[in-house]
């Protein structure tokens, strides 16, 4: 199975993959009247988004959507479905329509962001799903209330410890079982 596209969050002027999210719903174009179709085997949902964190606020920055044929043809005529007043532009490289928007987004909950994928820790077992959070060298946990950033924490070091355990062959389950040698207890992450 092909790994699926992740949403992107621009944070600290850097693009991060959105690798975990808990809270209110993220943006869904279907709830705004857009009928999407699969963009590729890497995007079965038919869309993915870019969010932006700026001045302590969360914004929906761009929506990449595979539009149904009739809507796609209408866009070519300068018509078609609008999103927050914007018409999309077809992006050949992305093979989808792109809506450039700058809308405050009232998300409440926690987002886990990852950047700088450590390919050495990304195994075949991860394929078909996005990389696990410990596969990223830079990881941030952001907490929002109604779109306002209320807490942020750099958890990169914690994920580096997990990644080291995984590389050492302990795997996730090795982290959960007690060490065979009690003197190694302080090494269990």
């Amino acid at each position: 199975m092909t790994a699926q596209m992740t949403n992107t969050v621009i944070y600290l002027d850097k693009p991060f993959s959105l690798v975990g999210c808990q809270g209110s719903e993220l943006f869904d174009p279907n709830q705004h009247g857009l009928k999407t179709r699969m963009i590729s085997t890497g995007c079965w949902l038919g869309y993915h988004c870019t969010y932006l964190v700026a001045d302590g606020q969360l914004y929906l920055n761009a929506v990449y959507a595979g539009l149904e044929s009739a809507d796609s043809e209408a866009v070519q005529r300068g018509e078609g479905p609008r999103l927050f007043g914007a018409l999309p532009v077809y992006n050949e490289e992305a093979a989808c329509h792109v809506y450039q928007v700058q809308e405050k987004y009232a998300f409440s909950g926690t987002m886990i962001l990852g950047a700088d994928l450590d390919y050495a820790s990304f195994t075949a077992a991860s394929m078909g799903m996005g990389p696990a959070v410990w596969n990223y060298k830079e990881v941030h946990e952001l907490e929002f209330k109604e779109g306002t950033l209320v807490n942020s924490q750099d958890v990169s070091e914690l994920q580096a410890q997990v990644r080291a355990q995984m590389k050492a062959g302990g795997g996730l389950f090795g982290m959960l079982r007690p060490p065979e040698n009690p003197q190694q207890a302080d090494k269990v992450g």
Side-chain angles (χ1 to χ4, degrees):
M1 179 178 198
T2 305
Q4 296 298 294
M5 297 286 300
T6 62
N7 288 320
T8 300
V9 179
I10 308 298
Y11 176 64
L12 302 175
D13 296 321
K14 181 177 181 176
F16 287 85
S17 293
L18 178 59
V19 294
C21 185
Q22 184 176 12
S24 59
E25 287 188 33
L26 293 176
F27 181 78
D28 180 351
N30 298 292
Q31 293 178 354
H32 293 267
L34 297 181
K35 295 182 177 116
T36 60
R37 60 164 176 74
M38 180 177 82
I39 294 173
S40 69
T41 58
C43 189
W44 284 64
L45 277 179
Y47 68 92
H48 57 98
C49 302
T50 298
Y51 296 90
L52 169 70
V53 179
D55 300 322
Q57 294 293 311
L58 181 65
Y59 294 88
L60 177 64
N61 199 41
V63 177
Y64 298 79
L67 297 179
E68 294 288 343
S69 296
D71 287 341
S72 182
E73 292 168 11
V75 168
Q76 292 173 9
R77 296 189 306 270
E79 304 166 0
R82 293 179 180 269
L83 182 61
F84 303 112
L87 273 174
V89 174
Y90 187 76
N91 182 308
E92 246 352 280
E93 187 178 325
C96 65
H97 292 84
V98 181
Y99 288 90
Q100 294 292 338
V101 295
Q102 187 77 9
E103 289 291 315
K104 283 188 177 180
Y105 197 73
F107 172 78
S108 291
T110 302
M111 291 182 170
I112 307 293
L113 312 181
D116 196 11
L117 189 61
D118 180 0
Y119 288 96
S121 68
F122 191 66
T123 65
S126 302
M127 298 313 289
M129 298 176 277
V133 67
W134 62 82
N135 292 126
Y136 292 93
K137 294 177 184 174
E138 185 174 356
V139 182
H140 294 270
E141 182 177 310
L142 307 181
E143 184 182 349
F144 294 92
K145 182 158 177 74
E146 296 297 320
T148 299
L149 182 63
V150 294
N151 191 22
S152 62
Q153 185 175 1
D154 185 334
V155 293
S156 303
E157 183 56 37
L158 174 63
Q159 298 309 319
Q161 292 171 13
V162 174
R163 195 168 48 255
Q165 177 71 25
M166 296 293 286
K167 286 180 179 177
L172 280 181
F173 297 110
M175 294 177 61
L176 300 177
R177 45 175 194 257
E180 292 178 20
N181 181 349
Q183 293 177 340
Q184 291 183 335
D186 61 335
K187 295 181 182 178
V188 175

